[in-house]
Amino acid sequence: MTRVAVITGASRGIGAAAAVEFGRLGYAVVVNYHSRRDAADSVVEAVDQAGGKGIAVAGDMRVREDAAGLIRAATENFGRVDTVVCNASTPIKQAAFADMPWEDFATKVTDELAASYHVTQLALPVMRAQRYGRLVYVSSGQAERPGAPGMIGHGSAKAALNTFARYVAYEEGPHGITANVVAPGYVRTDSSAAAGTAQIEAHIAARTPLRRVADPLDVGRVIAMIGSENSGFATGITVPVNGGVTLAP
Ligand SMILES: NC(=O)c1ccc[n+]([C@@H]2O[C@H](COP(=O)([O-])OP(=O)(O)OC[C@H]3O[C@@H](n4cnc5c(N)ncnc54)[C@H](OP(=O)(O)O)[C@@H]3O)[C@@H](O)[C@H]2O)c1
């Protein structure tokens, strides 16, 4: 039997790295993308080269019909849904709380939760029928403590995601389904490049016990570990992937 992983926002960054890691484990991988078909096609090629079988599927994960299309693509092409990685990056509007309009805050929190809510709920009937499922939510260390100014919307949204994941773990455990959170610190991707600079990276690396910032593969490997068969008795946990930066005073 070939295991099947569905990964949202897998055309770039952390999602792309996770997709290739699942390919290395021999999985069939549904590579979701939002707008960059070219990038998703390259990831599919990399998944195939790694030993898996990839397909690219477009969809905005905030939209229920698109999430349904993703799960349908998995079942129609591969017959199962073993793993869902909720990773899609939703837009961030950075502002200090005092200056943040309610609409921007509410949009961020709603987008973040919608992008996990729909695909999770739609995958559950398939996973329950299999009596097997691995749900992985890509959160952020900023859910636990402020990491940078202007990130209150992002941090609050990710904190809500962490709690959502624990409830899913609690309710779905009896069906053989696990739900866990992977919480990266700063990772060098297109999203962080928009906010980060070489100076910021150097500052973070200097405070990090492992003395560097993460690349997407650092996180993708942990997602594949938590999202595969080997983690069958771990559920409702949050795994930080941050080089130990939170150990710093
Ligand atoms: N980078 C960091 O430092 C960092 C730190 C902590 C947590 N995270 C979290 O890690 C996750 C991935 O971030 P990243 O930095 O790897 O992002 P990224 O490199 O900017 O890539 C974003 C991915 O999300 C997709 N996407 C955007 N909007 C989407 C939507 N509405 N529906 C489906 N897919 C959508 C993009 O698709 P297209 O390519 O088609 O546009 C792309 O594949 C996010 O949840 C982010 O919050 C990142």
Side-chain angles (χ1 to χ4, degrees), residues 8-16 32-37 39-40 59-62 86-92 108 112 115 138-142 154 158 182-192 216:
T8 74
S11 46
R12 291 181 284 129
I14 293 167
N32 162 245
Y33 66 97
H34 186 219
S35 57
R36 296 270 304 271
R37 172 82 208 208
D60 181 337
M61 287 305 106
R62 296 167 296 183
C86 296
N87 164 79
S89 189
T90 61
I92 298 177
K108 177 64 202 174
E112 183 73 39
V138 181
S139 182
S140 165
Q142 299 199 50
H154 181 70
K158 292 295 194 184
V182 170
Y186 180 95
V187 186
R188 191 179 290 135
T189 67
D190 292 349
S191 295
S192 56

mmCIF file of all heavy atoms in Angstrom, residues 8-16 32-37 39-40 59-62 86-92 108 112 115 138-142 154 158 182-192 216, ligand 1:
data_model
loop_
_atom_site.group_PDB
_atom_site.id
_atom_site.type_symbol
_atom_site.label_atom_id
_atom_site.label_comp_id
_atom_site.label_asym_id
_atom_site.label_seq_id
_atom_site.Cartn_x
_atom_site.Cartn_y
_atom_site.Cartn_z
ATOM 1 N N THR A 8 -0.682 21.399 1.991
ATOM 2 C CA THR A 8 -1.174 22.687 1.497
ATOM 3 C C THR A 8 -0.013 23.688 1.425
ATOM 4 O O THR A 8 0.915 23.639 2.244
ATOM 5 C CB THR A 8 -2.308 23.245 2.381
ATOM 6 O OG1 THR A 8 -1.772 23.731 3.621
ATOM 7 C CG2 THR A 8 -3.377 22.194 2.668
ATOM 8 N N GLY A 9 -0.067 24.553 0.415
ATOM 9 C CA GLY A 9 1.013 25.532 0.232
ATOM 10 C C GLY A 9 2.349 24.853 0.038
ATOM 11 O O GLY A 9 3.335 25.184 0.693
ATOM 12 N N ALA A 10 2.376 23.899 -0.899
ATOM 13 C CA ALA A 10 3.585 23.074 -1.062
ATOM 14 C C ALA A 10 4.402 23.473 -2.284
ATOM 15 O O ALA A 10 5.325 22.756 -2.657
ATOM 16 C CB ALA A 10 3.193 21.604 -1.134
ATOM 17 N N SER A 11 4.070 24.587 -2.910
ATOM 18 C CA SER A 11 4.824 24.970 -4.106
ATOM 19 C C SER A 11 6.144 25.649 -3.762
ATOM 20 O O SER A 11 7.022 25.761 -4.615
ATOM 21 C CB SER A 11 3.974 25.895 -4.984
ATOM 22 O OG SER A 11 3.367 26.889 -4.199
ATOM 23 N N ARG A 12 6.254 26.120 -2.530
ATOM 24 C CA ARG A 12 7.478 26.828 -2.135
ATOM 25 C C ARG A 12 7.769 26.569 -0.660
ATOM 26 O O ARG A 12 6.938 26.036 0.065
ATOM 27 C CB ARG A 12 7.331 28.339 -2.357
ATOM 28 C CG ARG A 12 7.285 28.711 -3.820
ATOM 29 C CD ARG A 12 7.159 30.187 -4.047
ATOM 30 N NE ARG A 12 5.812 30.685 -3.807
ATOM 31 C CZ ARG A 12 5.508 31.714 -3.030
ATOM 32 N NH1 ARG A 12 6.461 32.356 -2.395
ATOM 33 N NH2 ARG A 12 4.259 32.117 -2.879
ATOM 34 N N GLY A 13 8.955 26.986 -0.229
ATOM 35 C CA GLY A 13 9.286 27.053 1.194
ATOM 36 C C GLY A 13 9.138 25.738 1.945
ATOM 37 O O GLY A 13 9.515 24.659 1.463
ATOM 38 N N ILE A 14 8.591 25.845 3.144
ATOM 39 C CA ILE A 14 8.492 24.708 4.062
ATOM 40 C C ILE A 14 7.630 23.591 3.461
ATOM 41 O O ILE A 14 7.982 22.409 3.536
ATOM 42 C CB ILE A 14 7.904 25.192 5.412
ATOM 43 C CG1 ILE A 14 8.905 26.139 6.099
ATOM 44 C CG2 ILE A 14 7.535 24.021 6.306
ATOM 45 C CD1 ILE A 14 8.325 26.922 7.278
ATOM 46 N N GLY A 15 6.518 23.955 2.847
ATOM 47 C CA GLY A 15 5.621 22.945 2.269
ATOM 48 C C GLY A 15 6.309 22.155 1.170
ATOM 49 O O GLY A 15 6.155 20.928 1.081
ATOM 50 N N ALA A 16 7.077 22.842 0.342
ATOM 51 C CA ALA A 16 7.800 22.168 -0.752
ATOM 52 C C ALA A 16 8.819 21.191 -0.168
ATOM 53 O O ALA A 16 8.949 20.051 -0.637
ATOM 54 C CB ALA A 16 8.482 23.210 -1.642
ATOM 55 N N ASN A 32 -0.307 21.012 -3.116
ATOM 56 C CA ASN A 32 -1.240 22.136 -3.322
ATOM 57 C C ASN A 32 -0.470 23.435 -3.555
ATOM 58 O O ASN A 32 0.570 23.663 -2.948
ATOM 59 C CB ASN A 32 -2.145 22.278 -2.089
ATOM 60 C CG ASN A 32 -2.828 23.628 -2.007
ATOM 61 O OD1 ASN A 32 -2.569 24.401 -1.095
ATOM 62 N ND2 ASN A 32 -3.677 23.941 -2.966
ATOM 63 N N TYR A 33 -0.994 24.239 -4.468
ATOM 64 C CA TYR A 33 -0.432 25.577 -4.672
ATOM 65 C C TYR A 33 -1.574 26.559 -4.807
ATOM 66 O O TYR A 33 -2.720 26.173 -5.067
ATOM 67 C CB TYR A 33 0.481 25.615 -5.911
ATOM 68 C CG TYR A 33 -0.246 25.386 -7.215
ATOM 69 C CD1 TYR A 33 -0.653 26.456 -8.012
ATOM 70 C CD2 TYR A 33 -0.562 24.088 -7.637
ATOM 71 C CE1 TYR A 33 -1.341 26.242 -9.202
ATOM 72 C CE2 TYR A 33 -1.248 23.875 -8.824
ATOM 73 C CZ TYR A 33 -1.634 24.955 -9.601
ATOM 74 O OH TYR A 33 -2.326 24.746 -10.770
ATOM 75 N N HIS A 34 -1.251 27.840 -4.652
ATOM 76 C CA HIS A 34 -2.274 28.878 -4.737
ATOM 77 C C HIS A 34 -2.236 29.552 -6.097
ATOM 78 O O HIS A 34 -3.222 29.609 -6.804
ATOM 79 C CB HIS A 34 -2.061 29.888 -3.607
ATOM 80 C CG HIS A 34 -3.133 30.923 -3.521
ATOM 81 N ND1 HIS A 34 -2.870 32.234 -3.231
ATOM 82 C CD2 HIS A 34 -4.473 30.835 -3.677
ATOM 83 C CE1 HIS A 34 -4.003 32.915 -3.229
ATOM 84 N NE2 HIS A 34 -4.987 32.080 -3.480
ATOM 85 N N SER A 35 -1.051 30.036 -6.485
ATOM 86 C CA SER A 35 -0.960 30.779 -7.749
ATOM 87 C C SER A 35 0.224 30.344 -8.614
ATOM 88 O O SER A 35 0.242 30.619 -9.804
ATOM 89 C CB SER A 35 -0.819 32.275 -7.443
ATOM 90 O OG SER A 35 0.326 32.474 -6.623
ATOM 91 N N ARG A 36 1.203 29.665 -8.052
ATOM 92 C CA ARG A 36 2.458 29.400 -8.767
ATOM 93 C C ARG A 36 2.515 27.976 -9.312
ATOM 94 O O ARG A 36 3.177 27.100 -8.767
ATOM 95 C CB ARG A 36 3.647 29.667 -7.829
ATOM 96 C CG ARG A 36 3.777 31.113 -7.372
ATOM 97 C CD ARG A 36 4.644 31.901 -8.331
ATOM 98 N NE ARG A 36 5.945 31.274 -8.492
ATOM 99 C CZ ARG A 36 7.005 31.521 -7.733
ATOM 100 N NH1 ARG A 36 6.925 32.403 -6.763
ATOM 101 N NH2 ARG A 36 8.141 30.910 -7.961
ATOM 102 N N ARG A 37 1.825 27.748 -10.416
ATOM 103 C CA ARG A 37 1.797 26.408 -11.027
ATOM 104 C C ARG A 37 3.213 25.931 -11.389
ATOM 105 O O ARG A 37 3.555 24.764 -11.201
ATOM 106 C CB ARG A 37 0.911 26.474 -12.285
ATOM 107 C CG ARG A 37 0.928 25.219 -13.139
ATOM 108 C CD ARG A 37 -0.030 24.187 -12.576
ATOM 109 N NE ARG A 37 0.369 22.823 -12.879
ATOM 110 C CZ ARG A 37 -0.478 21.812 -12.990
ATOM 111 N NH1 ARG A 37 -1.754 22.022 -12.806
ATOM 112 N NH2 ARG A 37 -0.055 20.604 -13.237
ATOM 113 N N ALA A 39 6.074 26.627 -10.001
ATOM 114 C CA ALA A 39 6.802 26.187 -8.807
ATOM 115 C C ALA A 39 6.271 24.830 -8.331
ATOM 116 O O ALA A 39 7.041 23.939 -7.955
ATOM 117 C CB ALA A 39 6.665 27.231 -7.695
ATOM 118 N N ALA A 40 4.950 24.652 -8.377
ATOM 119 C CA ALA A 40 4.362 23.375 -7.943
ATOM 120 C C ALA A 40 4.827 22.242 -8.854
ATOM 121 O O ALA A 40 5.122 21.136 -8.378
ATOM 122 C CB ALA A 40 2.840 23.476 -7.941
ATOM 123 N N GLY A 59 -5.526 25.524 -5.506
ATOM 124 C CA GLY A 59 -6.625 25.775 -4.573
ATOM 125 C C GLY A 59 -6.253 26.769 -3.501
ATOM 126 O O GLY A 59 -5.128 26.777 -3.011
ATOM 127 N N ASP A 60 -7.239 27.617 -3.173
ATOM 128 C CA ASP A 60 -7.099 28.548 -2.057
ATOM 129 C C ASP A 60 -7.678 27.844 -0.829
ATOM 130 O O ASP A 60 -8.894 27.604 -0.764
ATOM 131 C CB ASP A 60 -7.887 29.824 -2.377
ATOM 132 C CG ASP A 60 -7.775 30.870 -1.274
ATOM 133 O OD1 ASP A 60 -7.492 30.499 -0.109
ATOM 134 O OD2 ASP A 60 -7.989 32.057 -1.572
ATOM 135 N N MET A 61 -6.840 27.510 0.112
ATOM 136 C CA MET A 61 -7.280 26.679 1.235
ATOM 137 C C MET A 61 -8.218 27.392 2.193
ATOM 138 O O MET A 61 -8.794 26.783 3.097
ATOM 139 C CB MET A 61 -6.075 26.102 1.983
ATOM 140 C CG MET A 61 -5.388 25.007 1.233
ATOM 141 S SD MET A 61 -6.547 23.666 0.775
ATOM 142 C CE MET A 61 -6.763 23.931 -0.976
ATOM 143 N N ARG A 62 -8.422 28.694 1.984
ATOM 144 C CA ARG A 62 -9.413 29.401 2.798
ATOM 145 C C ARG A 62 -10.830 29.123 2.284
ATOM 146 O O ARG A 62 -11.811 29.465 2.927
ATOM 147 C CB ARG A 62 -9.142 30.906 2.757
ATOM 148 C CG ARG A 62 -7.802 31.278 3.374
ATOM 149 C CD ARG A 62 -7.417 32.705 3.051
ATOM 150 N NE ARG A 62 -7.220 32.904 1.623
ATOM 151 C CZ ARG A 62 -6.830 34.047 1.062
ATOM 152 N NH1 ARG A 62 -6.602 35.107 1.827
ATOM 153 N NH2 ARG A 62 -6.662 34.134 -0.240
ATOM 154 N N CYS A 86 -1.194 20.995 7.090
ATOM 155 C CA CYS A 86 -1.788 22.326 6.901
ATOM 156 C C CYS A 86 -0.676 23.349 7.069
ATOM 157 O O CYS A 86 -0.258 23.665 8.198
ATOM 158 C CB CYS A 86 -2.897 22.561 7.925
ATOM 159 S SG CYS A 86 -4.267 21.416 7.723
ATOM 160 N N ASN A 87 -0.196 23.829 5.950
ATOM 161 C CA ASN A 87 1.008 24.656 5.941
ATOM 162 C C ASN A 87 0.809 25.980 5.204
ATOM 163 O O ASN A 87 1.600 26.908 5.383
ATOM 164 C CB ASN A 87 2.130 23.834 5.264
ATOM 165 C CG ASN A 87 3.296 24.686 4.839
ATOM 166 O OD1 ASN A 87 4.135 25.053 5.656
ATOM 167 N ND2 ASN A 87 3.343 25.051 3.553
ATOM 168 N N ALA A 88 -0.248 26.086 4.396
ATOM 169 C CA ALA A 88 -0.424 27.260 3.528
ATOM 170 C C ALA A 88 -0.217 28.557 4.305
ATOM 171 O O ALA A 88 -0.728 28.725 5.411
ATOM 172 C CB ALA A 88 -1.813 27.242 2.906
ATOM 173 N N SER A 89 0.530 29.446 3.699
ATOM 174 C CA SER A 89 0.857 30.719 4.343
ATOM 175 C C SER A 89 -0.196 31.744 3.958
ATOM 176 O O SER A 89 -0.392 32.015 2.780
ATOM 177 C CB SER A 89 2.232 31.144 3.818
ATOM 178 O OG SER A 89 2.722 32.225 4.510
ATOM 179 N N THR A 90 -0.902 32.308 4.916
ATOM 180 C CA THR A 90 -1.898 33.333 4.585
ATOM 181 C C THR A 90 -1.285 34.722 4.812
ATOM 182 O O THR A 90 -0.351 34.861 5.599
ATOM 183 C CB THR A 90 -3.199 33.146 5.411
ATOM 184 O OG1 THR A 90 -2.875 33.269 6.799
ATOM 185 C CG2 THR A 90 -3.843 31.799 5.143
ATOM 186 N N PRO A 91 -1.802 35.740 4.100
ATOM 187 C CA PRO A 91 -1.138 37.057 4.124
ATOM 188 C C PRO A 91 -1.026 37.662 5.524
ATOM 189 O O PRO A 91 -1.928 37.524 6.345
ATOM 190 C CB PRO A 91 -2.047 37.928 3.258
ATOM 191 C CG PRO A 91 -2.880 36.977 2.472
ATOM 192 C CD PRO A 91 -2.988 35.716 3.254
ATOM 193 N N ILE A 92 0.113 38.313 5.750
ATOM 194 C CA ILE A 92 0.356 38.965 7.048
ATOM 195 C C ILE A 92 0.351 40.471 6.839
ATOM 196 O O ILE A 92 1.056 40.965 5.953
ATOM 197 C CB ILE A 92 1.748 38.575 7.603
ATOM 198 C CG1 ILE A 92 1.840 37.079 7.840
ATOM 199 C CG2 ILE A 92 2.059 39.354 8.869
ATOM 200 C CD1 ILE A 92 3.209 36.612 8.321
ATOM 201 N N LYS A 108 -6.691 38.153 9.406
ATOM 202 C CA LYS A 108 -5.557 37.245 9.597
ATOM 203 C C LYS A 108 -5.968 35.998 10.391
ATOM 204 O O LYS A 108 -5.655 34.865 10.013
ATOM 205 C CB LYS A 108 -4.401 37.978 10.317
ATOM 206 C CG LYS A 108 -3.207 37.109 10.636
ATOM 207 C CD LYS A 108 -2.527 36.575 9.378
ATOM 208 C CE LYS A 108 -1.710 35.334 9.665
ATOM 209 N NZ LYS A 108 -1.155 34.711 8.473
ATOM 210 N N GLU A 112 -6.164 32.232 8.704
ATOM 211 C CA GLU A 112 -5.285 31.182 9.239
ATOM 212 C C GLU A 112 -6.110 29.953 9.640
ATOM 213 O O GLU A 112 -5.758 28.819 9.307
ATOM 214 C CB GLU A 112 -4.538 31.742 10.462
ATOM 215 C CG GLU A 112 -3.539 30.800 11.073
ATOM 216 C CD GLU A 112 -2.274 30.634 10.233
ATOM 217 O OE1 GLU A 112 -1.792 31.630 9.664
ATOM 218 O OE2 GLU A 112 -1.787 29.505 10.145
ATOM 219 N N ALA A 115 -7.856 28.098 6.642
ATOM 220 C CA ALA A 115 -6.937 27.308 5.822
ATOM 221 C C ALA A 115 -6.637 25.942 6.436
ATOM 222 O O ALA A 115 -6.184 25.037 5.737
ATOM 223 C CB ALA A 115 -5.636 28.082 5.595
ATOM 224 N N VAL A 138 1.281 23.548 10.663
ATOM 225 C CA VAL A 138 2.512 24.332 10.734
ATOM 226 C C VAL A 138 2.171 25.667 11.385
ATOM 227 O O VAL A 138 1.470 26.512 10.811
ATOM 228 C CB VAL A 138 3.149 24.518 9.344
ATOM 229 C CG1 VAL A 138 4.441 25.309 9.468
ATOM 230 C CG2 VAL A 138 3.420 23.152 8.703
ATOM 231 N N SER A 139 2.644 25.808 12.610
ATOM 232 C CA SER A 139 2.353 27.005 13.403
ATOM 233 C C SER A 139 3.594 27.897 13.417
ATOM 234 O O SER A 139 4.303 28.023 12.416
ATOM 235 C CB SER A 139 1.917 26.574 14.803
ATOM 236 O OG SER A 139 1.592 27.686 15.579
ATOM 237 N N SER A 140 3.888 28.467 14.577
ATOM 238 C CA SER A 140 5.043 29.363 14.692
ATOM 239 C C SER A 140 5.373 29.524 16.170
ATOM 240 O O SER A 140 4.472 29.500 17.024
ATOM 241 C CB SER A 140 4.690 30.728 14.108
ATOM 242 O OG SER A 140 5.646 31.691 14.510
ATOM 243 N N GLY A 141 6.653 29.726 16.448
ATOM 244 C CA GLY A 141 7.062 30.031 17.811
ATOM 245 C C GLY A 141 6.397 31.310 18.319
ATOM 246 O O GLY A 141 6.264 31.524 19.528
ATOM 247 N N GLN A 142 5.943 32.137 17.381
ATOM 248 C CA GLN A 142 5.329 33.408 17.788
ATOM 249 C C GLN A 142 3.942 33.206 18.399
ATOM 250 O O GLN A 142 3.347 34.151 18.922
ATOM 251 C CB GLN A 142 5.287 34.367 16.612
ATOM 252 C CG GLN A 142 6.705 34.649 16.128
ATOM 253 C CD GLN A 142 6.816 35.894 15.297
ATOM 254 O OE1 GLN A 142 6.333 36.947 15.688
ATOM 255 N NE2 GLN A 142 7.457 35.777 14.164
ATOM 256 N N HIS A 154 -0.467 37.658 13.465
ATOM 257 C CA HIS A 154 0.121 36.354 13.138
ATOM 258 C C HIS A 154 0.227 35.475 14.386
ATOM 259 O O HIS A 154 -0.193 34.307 14.375
ATOM 260 C CB HIS A 154 1.511 36.612 12.532
ATOM 261 C CG HIS A 154 2.242 35.377 12.108
ATOM 262 N ND1 HIS A 154 1.847 34.627 11.029
ATOM 263 C CD2 HIS A 154 3.343 34.767 12.620
ATOM 264 C CE1 HIS A 154 2.682 33.600 10.893
ATOM 265 N NE2 HIS A 154 3.585 33.663 11.839
ATOM 266 N N LYS A 158 -1.784 31.970 15.095
ATOM 267 C CA LYS A 158 -1.086 30.693 15.284
ATOM 268 C C LYS A 158 -1.408 30.095 16.658
ATOM 269 O O LYS A 158 -1.459 28.868 16.801
ATOM 270 C CB LYS A 158 0.428 30.880 15.123
ATOM 271 C CG LYS A 158 0.869 31.231 13.694
ATOM 272 C CD LYS A 158 0.593 30.119 12.706
ATOM 273 C CE LYS A 158 1.326 30.344 11.382
ATOM 274 N NZ LYS A 158 0.989 29.315 10.371
ATOM 275 N N VAL A 182 3.792 21.561 14.362
ATOM 276 C CA VAL A 182 5.217 21.839 14.205
ATOM 277 C C VAL A 182 5.362 23.363 14.220
ATOM 278 O O VAL A 182 4.669 24.071 13.474
ATOM 279 C CB VAL A 182 5.757 21.235 12.882
ATOM 280 C CG1 VAL A 182 7.168 21.722 12.591
ATOM 281 C CG2 VAL A 182 5.722 19.710 12.960
ATOM 282 N N ALA A 183 6.215 23.842 15.117
ATOM 283 C CA ALA A 183 6.302 25.292 15.338
ATOM 284 C C ALA A 183 7.714 25.804 15.029
ATOM 285 O O ALA A 183 8.594 25.757 15.894
ATOM 286 C CB ALA A 183 5.924 25.619 16.777
ATOM 287 N N PRO A 184 7.929 26.260 13.803
ATOM 288 C CA PRO A 184 9.260 26.777 13.469
ATOM 289 C C PRO A 184 9.507 28.145 14.094
ATOM 290 O O PRO A 184 8.578 28.910 14.371
ATOM 291 C CB PRO A 184 9.216 26.929 11.936
ATOM 292 C CG PRO A 184 7.915 26.330 11.482
ATOM 293 C CD PRO A 184 7.004 26.311 12.668
ATOM 294 N N GLY A 185 10.799 28.424 14.281
ATOM 295 C CA GLY A 185 11.215 29.806 14.498
ATOM 296 C C GLY A 185 11.408 30.437 13.124
ATOM 297 O O GLY A 185 10.738 30.050 12.159
ATOM 298 N N TYR A 186 12.341 31.347 13.020
ATOM 299 C CA TYR A 186 12.604 31.990 11.728
ATOM 300 C C TYR A 186 13.144 30.956 10.737
ATOM 301 O O TYR A 186 14.066 30.204 11.052
ATOM 302 C CB TYR A 186 13.633 33.105 11.910
ATOM 303 C CG TYR A 186 13.980 33.845 10.643
ATOM 304 C CD1 TYR A 186 13.338 35.022 10.297
ATOM 305 C CD2 TYR A 186 14.968 33.357 9.780
ATOM 306 C CE1 TYR A 186 13.661 35.698 9.129
ATOM 307 C CE2 TYR A 186 15.297 34.022 8.619
ATOM 308 C CZ TYR A 186 14.640 35.192 8.294
ATOM 309 O OH TYR A 186 14.974 35.848 7.137
ATOM 310 N N VAL A 187 12.553 30.922 9.536
ATOM 311 C CA VAL A 187 13.008 30.018 8.465
ATOM 312 C C VAL A 187 13.253 30.864 7.225
ATOM 313 O O VAL A 187 12.437 31.734 6.897
ATOM 314 C CB VAL A 187 11.933 28.951 8.131
ATOM 315 C CG1 VAL A 187 12.477 27.936 7.131
ATOM 316 C CG2 VAL A 187 11.430 28.264 9.391
ATOM 317 N N ARG A 188 14.347 30.594 6.538
ATOM 318 C CA ARG A 188 14.655 31.400 5.340
ATOM 319 C C ARG A 188 13.775 30.936 4.175
ATOM 320 O O ARG A 188 14.028 29.915 3.554
ATOM 321 C CB ARG A 188 16.137 31.243 4.995
ATOM 322 C CG ARG A 188 16.596 32.228 3.951
ATOM 323 C CD ARG A 188 18.063 32.071 3.639
ATOM 324 N NE ARG A 188 18.927 32.487 4.719
ATOM 325 C CZ ARG A 188 19.983 31.779 5.140
ATOM 326 N NH1 ARG A 188 20.276 30.625 4.588
ATOM 327 N NH2 ARG A 188 20.757 32.244 6.108
ATOM 328 N N THR A 189 12.691 31.668 3.911
ATOM 329 C CA THR A 189 11.778 31.361 2.786
ATOM 330 C C THR A 189 11.361 32.682 2.141
ATOM 331 O O THR A 189 11.756 33.757 2.608
ATOM 332 C CB THR A 189 10.489 30.655 3.267
ATOM 333 O OG1 THR A 189 9.729 31.569 4.063
ATOM 334 C CG2 THR A 189 10.779 29.405 4.076
ATOM 335 N N ASP A 190 10.523 32.595 1.100
ATOM 336 C CA ASP A 190 10.047 33.823 0.445
ATOM 337 C C ASP A 190 9.300 34.719 1.438
ATOM 338 O O ASP A 190 9.450 35.938 1.421
ATOM 339 C CB ASP A 190 9.102 33.479 -0.712
ATOM 340 C CG ASP A 190 9.848 32.797 -1.850
ATOM 341 O OD1 ASP A 190 11.103 32.784 -1.823
ATOM 342 O OD2 ASP A 190 9.178 32.274 -2.755
ATOM 343 N N SER A 191 8.485 34.100 2.319
ATOM 344 C CA SER A 191 7.717 34.903 3.291
ATOM 345 C C SER A 191 8.636 35.675 4.216
ATOM 346 O O SER A 191 8.452 36.870 4.449
ATOM 347 C CB SER A 191 6.851 34.019 4.187
ATOM 348 O OG SER A 191 5.882 33.371 3.465
ATOM 349 N N SER A 192 9.628 34.973 4.772
ATOM 350 C CA SER A 192 10.495 35.655 5.735
ATOM 351 C C SER A 192 11.399 36.658 5.027
ATOM 352 O O SER A 192 11.760 37.687 5.597
ATOM 353 C CB SER A 192 11.321 34.651 6.529
ATOM 354 O OG SER A 192 12.065 33.837 5.671
ATOM 355 N N PRO A 216 14.212 25.584 4.843
ATOM 356 C CA PRO A 216 12.936 24.844 4.803
ATOM 357 C C PRO A 216 13.084 23.350 5.076
ATOM 358 O O PRO A 216 12.210 22.740 5.702
ATOM 359 C CB PRO A 216 12.437 25.114 3.382
ATOM 360 C CG PRO A 216 12.999 26.459 3.041
ATOM 361 C CD PRO A 216 14.358 26.492 3.668
HETATM 362 N N1 LIG B 1 9.203 31.384 7.029
HETATM 363 C C1 LIG B 1 9.201 31.483 8.336
HETATM 364 O O1 LIG B 1 10.087 32.105 8.952
HETATM 365 C C2 LIG B 1 8.096 30.823 9.137
HETATM 366 C C3 LIG B 1 8.235 30.770 10.523
HETATM 367 C C4 LIG B 1 7.237 30.159 11.282
HETATM 368 C C5 LIG B 1 6.129 29.628 10.655
HETATM 369 N N2 LIG B 1 6.001 29.708 9.300
HETATM 370 C C6 LIG B 1 4.794 29.120 8.706
HETATM 371 O O2 LIG B 1 5.169 28.131 7.765
HETATM 372 C C7 LIG B 1 4.177 28.034 6.751
HETATM 373 C C8 LIG B 1 4.837 28.111 5.385
HETATM 374 O O3 LIG B 1 5.519 29.351 5.284
HETATM 375 P P1 LIG B 1 6.694 29.600 4.214
HETATM 376 O O4 LIG B 1 7.576 30.628 4.804
HETATM 377 O O5 LIG B 1 7.245 28.295 3.771
HETATM 378 O O6 LIG B 1 5.852 30.273 3.015
HETATM 379 P P2 LIG B 1 6.312 30.672 1.514
HETATM 380 O O7 LIG B 1 7.675 30.161 1.192
HETATM 381 O O8 LIG B 1 6.016 32.114 1.352
HETATM 382 O O9 LIG B 1 5.262 29.834 0.635
HETATM 383 C C9 LIG B 1 3.915 30.034 0.849
HETATM 384 C C10 LIG B 1 3.160 28.853 0.283
HETATM 385 O O10 LIG B 1 1.779 28.979 0.640
HETATM 386 C C11 LIG B 1 0.989 28.958 -0.553
HETATM 387 N N3 LIG B 1 -0.226 29.736 -0.326
HETATM 388 C C12 LIG B 1 -0.371 31.062 -0.088
HETATM 389 N N4 LIG B 1 -1.668 31.369 0.118
HETATM 390 C C13 LIG B 1 -2.362 30.203 0.010
HETATM 391 C C14 LIG B 1 -3.725 29.853 0.091
HETATM 392 N N5 LIG B 1 -4.660 30.768 0.366
HETATM 393 N N6 LIG B 1 -4.087 28.560 -0.120
HETATM 394 C C15 LIG B 1 -3.158 27.621 -0.406
HETATM 395 N N7 LIG B 1 -1.844 27.887 -0.484
HETATM 396 C C16 LIG B 1 -1.451 29.159 -0.285
HETATM 397 C C17 LIG B 1 1.908 29.496 -1.633
HETATM 398 O O11 LIG B 1 1.425 29.103 -2.916
HETATM 399 P P3 LIG B 1 1.943 29.855 -4.282
HETATM 400 O O12 LIG B 1 3.394 29.493 -4.421
HETATM 401 O O13 LIG B 1 1.129 29.257 -5.368
HETATM 402 O O14 LIG B 1 1.747 31.310 -4.065
HETATM 403 C C18 LIG B 1 3.223 28.822 -1.229
HETATM 404 O O15 LIG B 1 3.248 27.467 -1.639
HETATM 405 C C19 LIG B 1 3.171 29.145 7.029
HETATM 406 O O16 LIG B 1 2.053 28.619 7.705
HETATM 407 C C20 LIG B 1 3.946 30.094 7.919
HETATM 408 O O17 LIG B 1 3.132 30.870 8.763
HETATM 409 C C21 LIG B 1 6.961 30.285 8.527
#
